[in-house]
mmCIF file of all heavy atoms in Angstrom:
data_model
loop_
_atom_site.group_PDB
_atom_site.id
_atom_site.type_symbol
_atom_site.label_atom_id
_atom_site.label_comp_id
_atom_site.label_asym_id
_atom_site.label_seq_id
_atom_site.Cartn_x
_atom_site.Cartn_y
_atom_site.Cartn_z
ATOM 1 N N TYR A 116 4.700 -7.430 -6.963
ATOM 2 C CA TYR A 116 5.200 -7.348 -5.586
ATOM 3 C C TYR A 116 5.297 -5.889 -5.134
ATOM 4 O O TYR A 116 4.991 -5.565 -3.986
ATOM 5 C CB TYR A 116 6.578 -8.003 -5.473
ATOM 6 C CG TYR A 116 6.605 -9.512 -5.563
ATOM 7 C CD1 TYR A 116 7.459 -10.151 -6.452
ATOM 8 C CD2 TYR A 116 5.815 -10.296 -4.733
ATOM 9 C CE1 TYR A 116 7.531 -11.546 -6.515
ATOM 10 C CE2 TYR A 116 5.881 -11.689 -4.785
ATOM 11 C CZ TYR A 116 6.734 -12.304 -5.684
ATOM 12 O OH TYR A 116 6.800 -13.680 -5.737
ATOM 13 N N VAL A 117 5.764 -5.016 -6.021
ATOM 14 C CA VAL A 117 5.891 -3.595 -5.643
ATOM 15 C C VAL A 117 4.519 -3.041 -5.266
ATOM 16 O O VAL A 117 4.364 -2.389 -4.225
ATOM 17 C CB VAL A 117 6.516 -2.758 -6.781
ATOM 18 C CG1 VAL A 117 6.475 -1.269 -6.446
ATOM 19 C CG2 VAL A 117 7.955 -3.199 -7.048
ATOM 20 N N ALA A 118 3.516 -3.314 -6.091
ATOM 21 C CA ALA A 118 2.166 -2.828 -5.778
ATOM 22 C C ALA A 118 1.689 -3.392 -4.444
ATOM 23 O O ALA A 118 1.119 -2.675 -3.610
ATOM 24 C CB ALA A 118 1.188 -3.199 -6.899
ATOM 25 N N GLY A 119 1.948 -4.676 -4.230
ATOM 26 C CA GLY A 119 1.559 -5.283 -2.959
ATOM 27 C C GLY A 119 2.265 -4.636 -1.777
ATOM 28 O O GLY A 119 1.660 -4.385 -0.737
ATOM 29 N N ALA A 120 3.537 -4.359 -1.949
ATOM 30 C CA ALA A 120 4.345 -3.807 -0.862
ATOM 31 C C ALA A 120 4.000 -2.348 -0.588
ATOM 32 O O ALA A 120 4.053 -1.899 0.550
ATOM 33 C CB ALA A 120 5.830 -3.946 -1.201
ATOM 34 N N HIS A 121 3.655 -1.607 -1.629
ATOM 35 C CA HIS A 121 3.332 -0.179 -1.485
ATOM 36 C C HIS A 121 1.841 0.049 -1.240
ATOM 37 O O HIS A 121 1.409 1.193 -1.225
ATOM 38 C CB HIS A 121 3.765 0.599 -2.739
ATOM 39 C CG HIS A 121 5.244 0.839 -2.862
ATOM 40 N ND1 HIS A 121 5.801 2.086 -2.909
ATOM 41 C CD2 HIS A 121 6.293 -0.027 -2.943
ATOM 42 C CE1 HIS A 121 7.126 1.992 -3.021
ATOM 43 N NE2 HIS A 121 7.431 0.714 -3.050
ATOM 44 N N ARG A 122 1.070 -1.014 -1.101
ATOM 45 C CA ARG A 122 -0.371 -0.899 -0.910
ATOM 46 C C ARG A 122 -1.018 -0.074 -2.027
ATOM 47 O O ARG A 122 -1.851 0.788 -1.787
ATOM 48 C CB ARG A 122 -0.697 -0.313 0.469
ATOM 49 C CG ARG A 122 -1.977 -0.866 1.097
ATOM 50 C CD ARG A 122 -2.158 -0.472 2.560
ATOM 51 N NE ARG A 122 -2.123 0.954 2.745
ATOM 52 C CZ ARG A 122 -3.156 1.779 2.563
ATOM 53 N NH1 ARG A 122 -4.331 1.292 2.212
ATOM 54 N NH2 ARG A 122 -3.031 3.061 2.744
ATOM 55 N N LEU A 123 -0.631 -0.379 -3.253
ATOM 56 C CA LEU A 123 -1.227 0.264 -4.420
ATOM 57 C C LEU A 123 -2.191 -0.702 -5.094
ATOM 58 O O LEU A 123 -1.947 -1.910 -5.113
ATOM 59 C CB LEU A 123 -0.140 0.661 -5.425
ATOM 60 C CG LEU A 123 0.724 1.856 -5.038
ATOM 61 C CD1 LEU A 123 1.913 1.988 -5.972
ATOM 62 C CD2 LEU A 123 -0.112 3.146 -5.037
ATOM 63 N N PRO A 124 -3.276 -0.200 -5.686
ATOM 64 C CA PRO A 124 -4.228 -1.115 -6.350
ATOM 65 C C PRO A 124 -3.726 -1.644 -7.686
ATOM 66 O O PRO A 124 -4.312 -2.572 -8.235
ATOM 67 C CB PRO A 124 -5.472 -0.246 -6.536
ATOM 68 C CG PRO A 124 -4.987 1.159 -6.498
ATOM 69 C CD PRO A 124 -3.766 1.176 -5.626
ATOM 70 N N PHE A 125 -2.663 -1.048 -8.214
ATOM 71 C CA PHE A 125 -2.093 -1.527 -9.482
ATOM 72 C C PHE A 125 -0.690 -0.949 -9.627
ATOM 73 O O PHE A 125 -0.332 0.008 -8.936
ATOM 74 C CB PHE A 125 -2.949 -1.106 -10.684
ATOM 75 C CG PHE A 125 -2.976 0.383 -10.899
ATOM 76 C CD1 PHE A 125 -2.104 0.992 -11.792
ATOM 77 C CD2 PHE A 125 -3.872 1.187 -10.200
ATOM 78 C CE1 PHE A 125 -2.118 2.372 -11.975
ATOM 79 C CE2 PHE A 125 -3.893 2.566 -10.385
ATOM 80 C CZ PHE A 125 -3.011 3.159 -11.273
ATOM 81 N N TYR A 126 0.090 -1.559 -10.531
ATOM 82 C CA TYR A 126 1.417 -1.033 -10.839
ATOM 83 C C TYR A 126 1.498 -0.811 -12.337
ATOM 84 O O TYR A 126 1.258 -1.730 -13.121
ATOM 85 C CB TYR A 126 2.501 -2.025 -10.405
ATOM 86 C CG TYR A 126 3.892 -1.474 -10.582
ATOM 87 C CD1 TYR A 126 4.439 -0.636 -9.617
ATOM 88 C CD2 TYR A 126 4.665 -1.763 -11.710
ATOM 89 C CE1 TYR A 126 5.707 -0.098 -9.768
ATOM 90 C CE2 TYR A 126 5.937 -1.226 -11.867
ATOM 91 C CZ TYR A 126 6.446 -0.398 -10.889
ATOM 92 O OH TYR A 126 7.697 0.147 -11.041
ATOM 93 N N PRO A 127 1.812 0.414 -12.771
ATOM 94 C CA PRO A 127 1.859 0.701 -14.210
ATOM 95 C C PRO A 127 3.227 0.381 -14.796
ATOM 96 O O PRO A 127 4.243 0.577 -14.143
ATOM 97 C CB PRO A 127 1.609 2.217 -14.250
ATOM 98 C CG PRO A 127 2.189 2.733 -12.968
ATOM 99 C CD PRO A 127 2.073 1.605 -11.945
ATOM 100 N N LEU A 128 3.238 -0.107 -16.015
ATOM 101 C CA LEU A 128 4.527 -0.375 -16.673
ATOM 102 C C LEU A 128 4.376 -0.383 -18.180
ATOM 103 O O LEU A 128 3.280 -0.533 -18.709
ATOM 104 C CB LEU A 128 5.157 -1.678 -16.166
ATOM 105 C CG LEU A 128 4.604 -3.035 -16.577
ATOM 106 C CD1 LEU A 128 5.566 -4.136 -16.138
ATOM 107 C CD2 LEU A 128 3.240 -3.306 -15.953
ATOM 108 N N ARG A 129 5.498 -0.189 -18.854
ATOM 109 C CA ARG A 129 5.526 -0.170 -20.318
ATOM 110 C C ARG A 129 5.969 -1.531 -20.818
ATOM 111 O O ARG A 129 7.084 -1.708 -21.283
ATOM 112 C CB ARG A 129 6.486 0.912 -20.813
ATOM 113 C CG ARG A 129 5.996 2.324 -20.546
ATOM 114 C CD ARG A 129 6.890 3.326 -21.241
ATOM 115 N NE ARG A 129 6.511 4.688 -20.921
ATOM 116 C CZ ARG A 129 5.507 5.350 -21.511
ATOM 117 N NH1 ARG A 129 4.784 4.765 -22.458
ATOM 118 N NH2 ARG A 129 5.225 6.578 -21.163
ATOM 119 N N SER A 130 5.085 -2.485 -20.678
ATOM 120 C CA SER A 130 5.363 -3.804 -21.205
ATOM 121 C C SER A 130 4.049 -4.299 -21.800
ATOM 122 O O SER A 130 3.055 -3.576 -21.788
ATOM 123 C CB SER A 130 5.857 -4.705 -20.076
ATOM 124 O OG SER A 130 6.442 -5.870 -20.601
ATOM 125 N N TYR A 131 4.051 -5.487 -22.370
ATOM 126 C CA TYR A 131 2.827 -6.180 -22.814
ATOM 127 C C TYR A 131 2.191 -5.609 -24.080
ATOM 128 O O TYR A 131 1.322 -6.249 -24.670
ATOM 129 C CB TYR A 131 1.770 -6.238 -21.692
ATOM 130 C CG TYR A 131 2.322 -6.885 -20.448
ATOM 131 C CD1 TYR A 131 2.319 -6.229 -19.233
ATOM 132 C CD2 TYR A 131 2.871 -8.146 -20.519
ATOM 133 C CE1 TYR A 131 2.858 -6.823 -18.097
ATOM 134 C CE2 TYR A 131 3.421 -8.750 -19.388
ATOM 135 C CZ TYR A 131 3.405 -8.083 -18.180
ATOM 136 O OH TYR A 131 3.937 -8.677 -17.084
ATOM 137 N N SER A 132 2.616 -4.425 -24.491
ATOM 138 C CA SER A 132 2.062 -3.839 -25.701
ATOM 139 C C SER A 132 2.262 -4.797 -26.878
ATOM 140 O O SER A 132 3.392 -5.175 -27.183
ATOM 141 C CB SER A 132 2.797 -2.513 -25.953
ATOM 142 O OG SER A 132 2.347 -1.907 -27.127
ATOM 143 N N GLU A 133 1.150 -5.215 -27.500
ATOM 144 C CA GLU A 133 1.184 -6.091 -28.681
ATOM 145 C C GLU A 133 1.749 -7.494 -28.401
ATOM 146 O O GLU A 133 2.086 -8.227 -29.327
ATOM 147 C CB GLU A 133 1.950 -5.441 -29.847
ATOM 148 C CG GLU A 133 1.392 -4.103 -30.271
ATOM 149 C CD GLU A 133 -0.062 -4.182 -30.737
ATOM 150 O OE1 GLU A 133 -0.414 -5.161 -31.434
ATOM 151 O OE2 GLU A 133 -0.855 -3.272 -30.390
ATOM 152 N N SER A 134 1.875 -7.836 -27.138
ATOM 153 C CA SER A 134 2.194 -9.220 -26.780
ATOM 154 C C SER A 134 0.879 -9.971 -26.591
ATOM 155 O O SER A 134 -0.162 -9.370 -26.308
ATOM 156 C CB SER A 134 3.005 -9.252 -25.474
ATOM 157 O OG SER A 134 3.036 -10.573 -24.944
ATOM 158 N N ASP A 135 0.919 -11.307 -26.735
ATOM 159 C CA ASP A 135 -0.289 -12.105 -26.480
ATOM 160 C C ASP A 135 -0.522 -12.357 -24.996
ATOM 161 O O ASP A 135 -1.552 -12.922 -24.613
ATOM 162 C CB ASP A 135 -0.192 -13.466 -27.197
ATOM 163 C CG ASP A 135 -0.395 -13.344 -28.703
ATOM 164 O OD1 ASP A 135 -0.938 -12.306 -29.153
ATOM 165 O OD2 ASP A 135 -0.011 -14.285 -29.430
ATOM 166 N N LEU A 136 0.415 -11.970 -24.143
ATOM 167 C CA LEU A 136 0.258 -12.269 -22.710
ATOM 168 C C LEU A 136 -1.046 -11.726 -22.118
ATOM 169 O O LEU A 136 -1.728 -12.453 -21.390
ATOM 170 C CB LEU A 136 1.477 -11.771 -21.922
ATOM 171 C CG LEU A 136 2.696 -12.712 -21.962
ATOM 172 C CD1 LEU A 136 3.961 -11.997 -21.492
ATOM 173 C CD2 LEU A 136 2.445 -13.960 -21.115
ATOM 174 N N PRO A 137 -1.432 -10.475 -22.403
ATOM 175 C CA PRO A 137 -2.705 -9.997 -21.829
ATOM 176 C C PRO A 137 -3.923 -10.803 -22.307
ATOM 177 O O PRO A 137 -4.930 -10.878 -21.615
ATOM 178 C CB PRO A 137 -2.796 -8.543 -22.311
ATOM 179 C CG PRO A 137 -1.386 -8.154 -22.630
ATOM 180 C CD PRO A 137 -0.721 -9.407 -23.119
ATOM 181 N N LYS A 138 -3.799 -11.432 -23.490
ATOM 182 C CA LYS A 138 -4.932 -12.232 -23.988
ATOM 183 C C LYS A 138 -5.152 -13.477 -23.147
ATOM 184 O O LYS A 138 -6.267 -13.973 -23.047
ATOM 185 C CB LYS A 138 -4.666 -12.685 -25.436
ATOM 186 C CG LYS A 138 -4.672 -11.554 -26.440
ATOM 187 C CD LYS A 138 -4.507 -12.130 -27.844
ATOM 188 C CE LYS A 138 -4.221 -11.004 -28.837
ATOM 189 N NZ LYS A 138 -3.687 -11.537 -30.109
ATOM 190 N N VAL A 139 -4.079 -14.007 -22.580
ATOM 191 C CA VAL A 139 -4.212 -15.240 -21.803
ATOM 192 C C VAL A 139 -4.187 -14.979 -20.302
ATOM 193 O O VAL A 139 -4.364 -15.895 -19.503
ATOM 194 C CB VAL A 139 -3.119 -16.271 -22.177
ATOM 195 C CG1 VAL A 139 -3.266 -16.658 -23.650
ATOM 196 C CG2 VAL A 139 -1.725 -15.746 -21.891
ATOM 197 N N ASN A 140 -3.932 -13.740 -19.915
ATOM 198 C CA ASN A 140 -3.957 -13.390 -18.493
ATOM 199 C C ASN A 140 -4.783 -12.120 -18.315
ATOM 200 O O ASN A 140 -4.272 -11.002 -18.467
ATOM 201 C CB ASN A 140 -2.536 -13.187 -17.950
ATOM 202 C CG ASN A 140 -2.547 -12.881 -16.463
ATOM 203 O OD1 ASN A 140 -3.601 -12.602 -15.877
ATOM 204 N ND2 ASN A 140 -1.373 -12.920 -15.851
ATOM 205 N N PRO A 141 -6.066 -12.293 -17.983
ATOM 206 C CA PRO A 141 -6.962 -11.119 -17.900
ATOM 207 C C PRO A 141 -6.597 -10.169 -16.771
ATOM 208 O O PRO A 141 -7.182 -9.091 -16.666
ATOM 209 C CB PRO A 141 -8.343 -11.749 -17.684
ATOM 210 C CG PRO A 141 -8.080 -13.117 -17.152
ATOM 211 C CD PRO A 141 -6.748 -13.548 -17.703
ATOM 212 N N LEU A 142 -5.638 -10.539 -15.919
ATOM 213 C CA LEU A 142 -5.210 -9.622 -14.860
ATOM 214 C C LEU A 142 -4.199 -8.596 -15.357
ATOM 215 O O LEU A 142 -3.869 -7.658 -14.647
ATOM 216 C CB LEU A 142 -4.624 -10.406 -13.679
ATOM 217 C CG LEU A 142 -5.664 -11.193 -12.876
ATOM 218 C CD1 LEU A 142 -4.977 -12.059 -11.818
ATOM 219 C CD2 LEU A 142 -6.656 -10.237 -12.209
ATOM 220 N N ILE A 143 -3.710 -8.780 -16.562
ATOM 221 C CA ILE A 143 -2.857 -7.752 -17.180
ATOM 222 C C ILE A 143 -3.781 -6.812 -17.943
ATOM 223 O O ILE A 143 -4.440 -7.221 -18.901
ATOM 224 C CB ILE A 143 -1.810 -8.385 -18.129
ATOM 225 C CG1 ILE A 143 -0.928 -9.384 -17.373
ATOM 226 C CG2 ILE A 143 -0.969 -7.298 -18.782
ATOM 227 C CD1 ILE A 143 0.020 -10.173 -18.281
ATOM 228 N N ARG A 144 -3.881 -5.573 -17.476
ATOM 229 C CA ARG A 144 -4.885 -4.648 -18.020
ATOM 230 C C ARG A 144 -4.278 -3.323 -18.430
ATOM 231 O O ARG A 144 -3.188 -2.973 -18.019
ATOM 232 C CB ARG A 144 -5.976 -4.395 -16.978
ATOM 233 C CG ARG A 144 -6.727 -5.657 -16.633
ATOM 234 C CD ARG A 144 -7.875 -5.411 -15.687
ATOM 235 N NE ARG A 144 -8.436 -6.702 -15.311
ATOM 236 C CZ ARG A 144 -9.290 -6.894 -14.318
ATOM 237 N NH1 ARG A 144 -9.719 -5.859 -13.605
ATOM 238 N NH2 ARG A 144 -9.745 -8.105 -14.040
ATOM 239 N N LYS A 145 -5.041 -2.584 -19.215
ATOM 240 C CA LYS A 145 -4.629 -1.235 -19.602
ATOM 241 C C LYS A 145 -5.052 -0.229 -18.544
ATOM 242 O O LYS A 145 -6.074 -0.399 -17.878
ATOM 243 C CB LYS A 145 -5.249 -0.851 -20.941
ATOM 244 C CG LYS A 145 -4.566 -1.504 -22.117
ATOM 245 C CD LYS A 145 -5.094 -0.943 -23.431
ATOM 246 C CE LYS A 145 -4.287 -1.520 -24.592
ATOM 247 N NZ LYS A 145 -4.933 -1.209 -25.892
#
Side-chain angles (χ1 to χ4, degrees):
Chain A
Y116 288 128
V117 173
H121 285 241
R122 214 170 56 83
L123 287 169
F125 66 95
Y126 185 82
L128 74 170
R129 291 188 184 279
S130 195
Y131 304 123
S132 178
E133 303 300 320
S134 166
D135 286 342
L136 279 165
K138 292 184 192 164
V139 298
N140 182 348
L142 289 174
I143 302 173
R144 297 184 186 167
K145 284 188 174 169

